[in-house]
Structures are given as structure tokens and as C-alpha cells.
């Protein structure tokens, strides 16, 4: 565009050096998961979580009388398909009755990728039309960390994890190009089982990353060490909340939450400590989280 053509290096933006690009790449690659899980090989100790895994991986009932899976788009609960490609799909999210363009007369239609085609629809409100620019498709996001990052979808149309899963049973999804008239059919139990799986995966990732950050904090001086401890404790608290907010109780009879509460208390204690006492508290927190991890699976 003319605006983009008028932007000039040094005054409007800075051209990064090769070293700066390498540093930015290293930073981004240090964030989040370093390796995918092998979801198909996992057997979960909680019955609801294991049932959710089977629905997610092997297939859940769908409107054509057969089944469809979630791993077609979210292999290993990530953002890629089974071939490792992050594709984009038109799932009708922009046309949900609670999408911004449907509830606000001034919100524009979000048409996804591209500026064309330009379409108008009154599906949101029969009294007015909404203009959408784009092909209606959006990139697949990872779902392994979804449970502790509400609201959901690019337009925040779903406020809970369960509402987000429910979208794929709706007529809105069924009428979308990606559905092909074959939306999922999930009863309340099955919906909560898939939610339980995603919550268990999220909590496990919280624990894994929290351990990494706790170990990093042991080798850091202040104030960087304190910042890392706060980050690790946030992961611990996220894991607790994700598990406890499940619509169906999961991992009852285990000591997972008790160990995570113990770890969070030790991390809080470490924030006010230095030297050997701080490291002892962090090592104890790590030990508690390490003890919690095996209880998720058989």
C-alpha cells in the first residue's frame, strides 16, 4: 500500500542485524514446549481423561453417522496436522451469534485470510448485514495449552473451554466449509471428557515448564531469579486452577493437587529468600512437582 511504501528504515523502523535476528529466533524457540507429546501412546489414570483421549484421537460421533477426530487438525493436541503442517480452516467461528460482528453494530466482520472475497450476510442479525473480507479461514491454534488461556477463538467468542468444544457440534460449524455438513455429535458427558483431557494435558505442560523455570532460577542471581520464581509459581497455580475448574472432578484419589499446592507454597517462600535457603525451597518445589507428574498416566 502507499502507507507501507512511505515507511523508511531508521526513522519508521529498524532493520535488524543478522545477530539480532539470531537472538530473536533463539528467544522465541526457548518459549513453551520444546518437543511434542505422543498422545496416542498415553494412557491416563483418570477414567474421564482417558475417555476424552479416545474421543479426541480415535474419533467422536458425527452427523454423517460415522465419526471424526480432533487430531486431524490438532495432532498431539498441537497446532499442526499429522504431516506437521499448520493449516487454516473456515469453521464458522466468525459467524457465531456471539461473535463481535454479531453483537455490536460497529464491529467489522472478520473475514479471515486475504482481502477477498467480499461477502455480506445477515446470519448474525436479520435486521442488518455484515460485510466480511477474506476467505473465512484462520490458522489452527494449539490446544494443549488452551485450558488456562481463555477466552477462546481469535475473536474471544467462547468464554470457557467447554463452550469452545461445543462450537464443533453447532449448526454454525456444520454449515462451514471445514465441517462439510459433518459436525460432531457430543452429549454432555463426552464434551466434558474431551475437556478433561485438555485440562490434564494443560496441567502436565504447566508442571513441565514450571520445573524448567524453577531449575533456571536456581542458577540465576537477583532480581532475575525472583522473576523466574514468580513465573514458575504462576505455572503451578495455573495447573491447580485448570484441574479444579473441570466440570467433572478429575484425578480424585491422587495427591496431584496437594503436591502442587505444596510446590506453590515453597515457591512463594523462595521469593523471599536468597542463597542456599532459596535453592533448598526451589529444589523441594521441584521434587513435589516431579512426584505429581507420574500420577497423570498409568
Amino acid at each position: 500500500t502507499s502507507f507501507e511504501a512511505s515507511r523508511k528504515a531508521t526513522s519508521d523502523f529498524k532493520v535488524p542485524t543478522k545477530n539480532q535476528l539470531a537472538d530473536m529466533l533463539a528467544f522465541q524457540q526457548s518459549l513453551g514446549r520444546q518437543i511434542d507429546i505422543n498422545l496416542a501412546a498415553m494412557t491416563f489414570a483418570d477414567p474421564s481423561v482417558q475417555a476424552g483421549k479416545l474421543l479426541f484421537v480415535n474419533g467422536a460421533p458425527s452427523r454423517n453417522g460415522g465419526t471424526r477426530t480432533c487430531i486431524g487438525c490438532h495432532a498431539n493436541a498441537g497446532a499442526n496436522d499429522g504431516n506437521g503442517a499448520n493449516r487454516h480452516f473456515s469453521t464458522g467461528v466468525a459467524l457465531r451469534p456471539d461473535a463481535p460482528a454479531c453483537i455490536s453494530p460497529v464491529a467489522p466482520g472478520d473475514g479471515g485470510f486475504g482481502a477477498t472475497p467480499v461477502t455480506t450476510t445477515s446470519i448474525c442479525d436479520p435486521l442488518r448485514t455484515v460485510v466480511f473480507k477474506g476467505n473465512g479461514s484462520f490458522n489452527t491454534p494449539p490446544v494443549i495449552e488452551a485450558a488456562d488461556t481463555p477466552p477462546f477463538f481469535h475473536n474471544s467468542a467462547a468464554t470457557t473451554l467447554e463452550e469452545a468444544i461445543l462450537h464443533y457440534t453447532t449448526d454454525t460449524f456444520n454449515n462451514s466449509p471445514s465441517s462439510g455438513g459433518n459436525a460432531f455429535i457430543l452429549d454432555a458427558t463426552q464434551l466434558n471428557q474431551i475437556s478433561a483431557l485438555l485440562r490434564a494435558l494443560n496441567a502436565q505442560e504447566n508442571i513441565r515448564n514450571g520445573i524448567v523455570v524453577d531449575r533456571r532460577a536456581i542458577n540465576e542471581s537477583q532480581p532475575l531469579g525472583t522473576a523466574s520464581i514468580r513465573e514458575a509459581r504462576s505455572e503451578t497455580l495455573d495447573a491447580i486452577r485448570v484441574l479444579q475448574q473441570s466440570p467433572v472432578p478429575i484425578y480424585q484419589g491422587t495427591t496431584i493437587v496437594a503436591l502442587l499446592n505444596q510446590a506453590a507454597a515453597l515457591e512463594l517462600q523462595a521469593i523471599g529468600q536468597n542463597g542456599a535457603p532459596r535453592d533448598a525451597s526451589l529444589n523441594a518445589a521441584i521434587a513435589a512437582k516431579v512426584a505429581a507428574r507420574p500420577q497423570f498416566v498409568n
Side-chain angles (χ1 to χ4, degrees):
T1 66
S2 59
F3 171 75
E4 291 170 337
S6 67
R7 298 177 70 238
K8 300 187 183 303
T10 70
S11 61
D12 295 314
F13 62 91
K14 179 179 179 180
V15 178
T17 65
K18 288 185 178 179
N19 286 340
Q20 288 172 329
L21 287 172
D23 289 343
M24 287 189 288
L25 177 63
F27 169 70
Q28 292 178 62
Q29 290 180 333
S30 73
L31 302 175
R33 288 177 291 130
Q34 302 299 302
I35 189 170
D36 275 332
I37 62 172
N38 184 357
L39 181 56
M42 299 172 74
T43 302
F44 293 91
D46 185 272
S48 293
V49 176
Q50 178 61 16
K53 179 247 178 159
L54 296 177
L55 291 167
F56 194 93
V57 173
N58 296 348
S62 61
R63 295 195 188 188
N64 69 359
T67 61
R68 65 183 301 164
T69 71
C70 304
I71 61 170
C73 301
H74 298 287
N76 288 317
N80 299 334
D81 62 18
N83 295 319
N86 179 240
R87 297 185 292 164
H88 49 271
F89 297 93
S90 178
T91 62
V93 170
L95 300 176
R96 287 171 57 96
D98 48 6
C102 298
I103 60 177
S104 170
V106 296
D110 190 348
F113 277 88
T116 57
V118 177
T119 57
T120 60
T121 179
S122 59
I123 189 171
C124 302
D125 184 342
L127 300 180
R128 65 180 176 88
T129 59
V130 178
V131 177
F132 291 88
K133 296 181 179 181
N135 64 10
S137 66
F138 301 87
N139 278 104
T140 305
V143 294
I144 194 169
E145 302 99 344
D148 66 6
T149 57
F152 301 93
F153 301 125
H154 72 280
N155 55 10
S156 302
T159 58
T160 70
L161 181 62
E162 292 71 33
E163 287 177 7
I165 298 169
L166 188 64
H167 170 75
Y168 297 97
T169 70
T170 62
D171 288 341
T172 303
F173 174 65
N174 193 65
N175 295 332
S176 71
S178 296
S179 169
N182 188 32
F184 287 90
I185 299 174
L186 301 174
D187 60 29
T189 297
Q190 292 167 322
L191 187 150
N192 288 334
Q193 287 168 342
I194 294 175
S195 166
L197 167 70
L198 296 181
R199 289 178 180 279
L201 293 176
N202 200 137
Q204 288 178 289
E205 174 59 19
N206 289 140
I207 294 169
R208 183 208 63 78
N209 194 48
I211 291 172
V212 170
V213 179
D214 273 330
R215 287 174 174 159
R216 186 181 73 205
I218 291 174
N219 297 313
E220 292 176 334
S221 58
Q222 302 292 31
L224 192 59
T226 295
S228 291
I229 299 169
R230 293 185 188 280
E231 179 185 346
R233 186 167 186 266
S234 175
E235 294 279 8
T236 306
L237 295 175
D238 279 346
I240 295 169
R241 183 178 64 253
V242 162
L243 293 172
Q244 291 186 328
Q245 289 182 345
S246 175
V248 292
I250 54 177
Y251 291 107
Q252 291 185 311
T254 72
T255 60
I256 291 174
V257 172
L259 287 166
L260 293 176
N261 277 316
Q262 178 183 335
L266 287 162
E267 287 162 337
L268 180 61
Q269 178 175 289
I271 290 173
Q273 296 174 319
N274 287 295
R278 182 193 72 164
D279 293 350
S281 294
L282 290 177
N283 279 317
I286 291 169
K289 287 190 272 192
V290 168
R293 293 178 75 181
Q295 298 184 56
F296 281 92
V297 295
N298 289 325

